[in-house]
Amino acid sequence: MRVVTTVNGTEQVADDVWPGESLLYLLRERLGLPGAKNACEQGECGSCTVHLDGEPVCACLVAAGQAIGRSVTTVEGLSGADGLHPVQQAFVEAGAVQCGFCTPGLVVMASDLLARVPRPTDPEIREALAGNLCRCTGYEKILDAVRLAASRQARP
Amino acid sequence: MTAVETDARATGRLGAGRVGEDAQRPDGTLKVTGEFAYASDLWHDDMVWGVTLRSPHPHARIRRIDVTEALTVPGVTAVLTADDVPGENAFGLEHADQPVLAADVVRYEGEPVALVAADHPETARRAAARIRVDYEVLPALTDPRRALDEDAPPVHPGGNLVRHLPLRRGEQGRTAPVVVSVDVEVGMQDQAFLGPESGLAVPAEDGGVDLFVATQWLHVDQRQICLALGMPPEKVRVTLAGVGGAFGGREDLSVHVHACLLALRTGRPVKMSYGREESFYGHVHRHPAWLSYEFGAEPDGTLVYARATVLLDGGAYASSTGAVVGNAGTLGLGPYRIPNVTVDAYGVFTNNPPCGAMRGFGCVQAAFAHEALMDSLADAVGVDRVEIRRRNGLREGDRNITGQVIDSAAPVAELLDRVAALPLPPPADTSDIRALPGAVGNTTHGEGVRRGIGYAVTYKNVGFSEGFDDYSTARVRLQVTGGEAVATVHTAAAEVGQGLVTVQQQIARTELGVQQVVVVPADTSVGSAGSTSASRQTYVTGGAVQAACAAVRTAVLQRAAVALDRPLTGLRLDGEEVVGPGGEVLTGLADVLGDDAVEETREYRHRPTHAVDPETGQGDAHVQFAFSAHRAVVDVDVELGLVKVVALDTAQDVGRAINPDAVVGQIHGGSAQGMGLALMEEVVVTDGHVRNPSFTDYLLPTILDMPPMQVEVLEYADPHAPYGVRGVGEPPTISSGPAVAAAVRDACGRPLRRVPIRPEHITGV
């Protein structure tokens, strides 16, 4: 199967894709974008979160073929020419990164939250990130990071 | 110094990245952009994928393995069985009792039997499914409480006892006016690191192999791989790949030998990466435990004696069960003064999944028992639950139950006082169901909800104990490149997420006065760093880096003394300058070094520990003790058995915080894992079969489950440790769970003698 899809703004072509492959496998093993992580294969941990046509999805639950003709944004596409995305910068500064395996999924999900809700309350942050497991931090500094990014975003 | 953790950013403590300052991780940016290379991200031209075929039976004899069909699958490049292991078909941390690939018998469900390499992981999986293994299923020993019965079938020829640690202190058979007892059962917990077991083995031109793998202890891996491959260490080079969490679950081998075998057979790079289900079978778990405790006390609650039996299910292979028994015995009564002690701790073989290291290592299980019993004692003598612990808590200079003098801070009472003084959360807001047990399940609007508060305190050994030669090695180089001084730190210490790379940088900056410090990847081309476990790396590898830096500094100053024709005494490094006794600049580092690099390698050993007496368990078994206390506040829907943890506050003595921000991060994460064990995390094993090997069925705390945490960090420097540090990572995992369990008991009024606590335990139906 040939898969043609736009990833981080660039059209990508992959040939000989096995129909059972996930979008996650396509990104990681065929397109050289290992930022989205494979940690559970069941959509439970959120480590593989990417945007598909602007909606956050678990790439492990999307078949590669479902991405044909669509637009995917991964964690690699989050930072721009002018540096890290504010959420990424806040994660580094707030100490929200330990082993970091959950981090790509969390920064994608948190950036999605802040795009929709610029000044989220703590319950709103918790609800938005409830599908992202982290085993290292106990989530406290992840909350700090999202609050920090939101406060900076709110400034003109 | 003490500091209440508020918002580290707001306090603006980010400094130059030296010891004692909040420092940012050098790998932080790579991790937030997705560029950091974890073991499962590795890729090589021409690589193939390796998969493992595992036993579906907890106990069976292998009559025959037929790989013919698997070999015919297009894309398959190799199929290997036990016959293809060139060296000794055995590995293990303490005893090489586990086959690389099962030869004649399988002893647990999930034991590796065969390997396949193919050009696509799905091809390899399908080929593995076509390997025919003819099993004769054998009766399985799955109840550890029967393992030592005379008629129990032996899991290994030597019988089912891995280790029995008897501990006898003071008068045996003592009585006391007040007696309380408890039986506690602790379920099997999984480390559940998010990054699955992965590695890439690359065959080398010299006939050896280079392995890039996520692990905790490169040199012990190397030793075991060499044994199985029949190769000398110079041909088996192991490099740390990015590690997605560890928590003890990577101390034992997983893909290591398998990937190397396939690479050497196919002549191609081989990548192996477990899925989540395989990960549950691919690493050891925390030992399930059965604990029977009795405390005798004076009417005022002063402990007179303790009697305890601890049984740990080691599963099918020894792993580190012996050392876990050591901890469960020597530390198993908690941080209390108890003059008369009778303890028997046992680790046994069964046909259950092998158990070994996990954060807290034997102390976690015991803490659920001794802390439940301290609450019972408090109630029996009518003393407050905090006060009963204060009254009996260890103090500096006391002897613990192995007779060892606690020779640095033992602030049990102060930790309890501080955690008890932290503000309590407001009453449940019944107008917001998100704050209530059951949350948006909309199961209650406050009716049936009761609040409970629980306390627990613990201590844990830091570093390897019982006479182990525990050391680390560091190589430090200083040179001037492009006009700037750069220090390079090289160790074999595994960064697993805890922030050791940052600590190494901070120490080098502090000791050498340079700003640029590069920590190069950990590998086996430098001496062993020991394991990233037992909360030991900041202490032991930190000590090695400090020593190597000091040696570099001395060498540089000696050069300067010769060049300046001055005595060495009084010279020191300040920034990139050599200054004299009055602080006057004498010369620059660039002038002293020119194009040369100064490099020194040093080993660091902590003070020796000693084996305990085999009959009495007495001895100086440990080098350092770390103390922590927790207070949990919960709201419990006593009608449905649902729990909402409202607050989980803690106080901990860390000796000295090298990186205060990272210390608090360790305390947060460790507390979450303890809470998980108390309320939700269990590998459910019935008749030797794992029933929930997935993140759908093995429940981990989410951001909705974790409450806000107030963390109070005490810094009572340990005069025997580098910079005064005390291990940080494990104590929070030990004291948080029992505090949560106590809070739930307090709310629902039931004894709750098993963790994780299930809804039916709370409702009693």
Side-chain angles (χ1 to χ4, degrees), chain A residues 18 21 25 28 37 39 41-42 44 88 93 97-101 126 133 135-137 139-141, chain B residues 9 31-32 38 40-41 120 126 190-191 194 275-276 661 665 668-669 673 681 696 701 703 706 709:
Chain A
W18 173 60
E21 280 177 25
Y25 187 91
R28 290 176 52 79
K37 299 296 173 223
E41 305 113 28
Q42 292 185 333
E44 292 288 346
Q88 291 173 318
E93 288 181 32
V97 179
Q98 288 189 32
C99 94
F101 208 80
R126 289 182 188 273
L133 294 175
R135 189 56 158 165
C136 297
T137 66
Y139 304 102
E140 284 283 89
K141 289 180 183 293
Chain B
R9 300 308 108 200
K31 286 179 172 178
V32 297
Y38 294 90
S40 54
D41 299 335
H120 190 290
R126 290 177 180 203
D190 187 54
Q191 295 84 355
L194 285 194
R276 182 54 52 186
D661 199 30
H668 286 152
Q673 291 181 2
E681 293 187 35
T696 305
I703 197 169
M706 288 311 299
M709 287 180 256

Side-chain angles (χ1 to χ4, degrees), chain A:
Chain A
M1 178 172 72
R2 164 172 281 205
V3 173
V4 182
T5 180
T6 302
V7 181
N8 299 330
T10 306
E11 187 175 278
Q12 299 279 2
V13 181
D15 283 317
D16 301 323
V17 174
W18 173 60
E21 280 177 25
S22 65
L23 172 59
L24 182 60
Y25 187 91
L26 179 83
L27 293 168
R28 290 176 52 79
E29 306 298 341
R30 295 189 182 275
L31 302 181
L33 292 168
K37 299 296 173 223
N38 182 19
C40 79
E41 305 113 28
Q42 292 185 333
E44 292 288 346
C45 75
S47 305
C48 63
T49 306
V50 299
H51 277 109
L52 181 63
D53 284 347
E55 287 292 321
V57 296
C58 287
C60 71
L61 295 183
V62 177
Q66 287 177 285
I68 292 173
R70 299 172 76 180
S71 176
V72 180
T73 306
T74 70
V75 68
E76 287 95 342
L78 209 56
S79 48
D82 51 345
L84 297 180
H85 185 283
V87 167
Q88 291 173 318
Q89 183 64 36
F91 266 66
V92 173
E93 288 181 32
V97 179
Q98 288 189 32
C99 94
F101 208 80
C102 67
T103 305
L106 273 160
V107 297
V108 169
M109 205 62 214
S111 68
D112 181 79
L113 169 68
L114 295 187
R116 290 184 288 108
V117 187
R119 295 303 303 267
T121 62
D122 278 4
E124 285 171 331
I125 297 172
R126 289 182 188 273
E127 197 169 336
L129 303 183
N132 292 78
L133 294 175
C134 171
R135 189 56 158 165
C136 297
T137 66
Y139 304 102
E140 284 283 89
K141 289 180 183 293
I142 290 170
L143 281 156
D144 287 344
V146 179
R147 293 183 197 118
L148 178 64
S151 70
R152 287 177 176 166
Q153 181 176 280
R155 286 186 214 129

Side-chain angles (χ1 to χ4, degrees), chain B residues 195-213:
Chain B
E197 292 89 341
S198 301
L200 177 73
V202 184
E205 284 182 1
D206 66 352
V209 62
D210 292 282
L211 177 68
F212 304 83
V213 68

Side-chain angles (χ1 to χ4, degrees), chain B residues 67-85:
Chain B
V67 303
T68 319
E69 258 192 72
L71 279 167
T72 64
V73 175
V76 168
T77 48
V79 181
L80 305 182
T81 64
D83 293 340
D84 300 299
V85 179

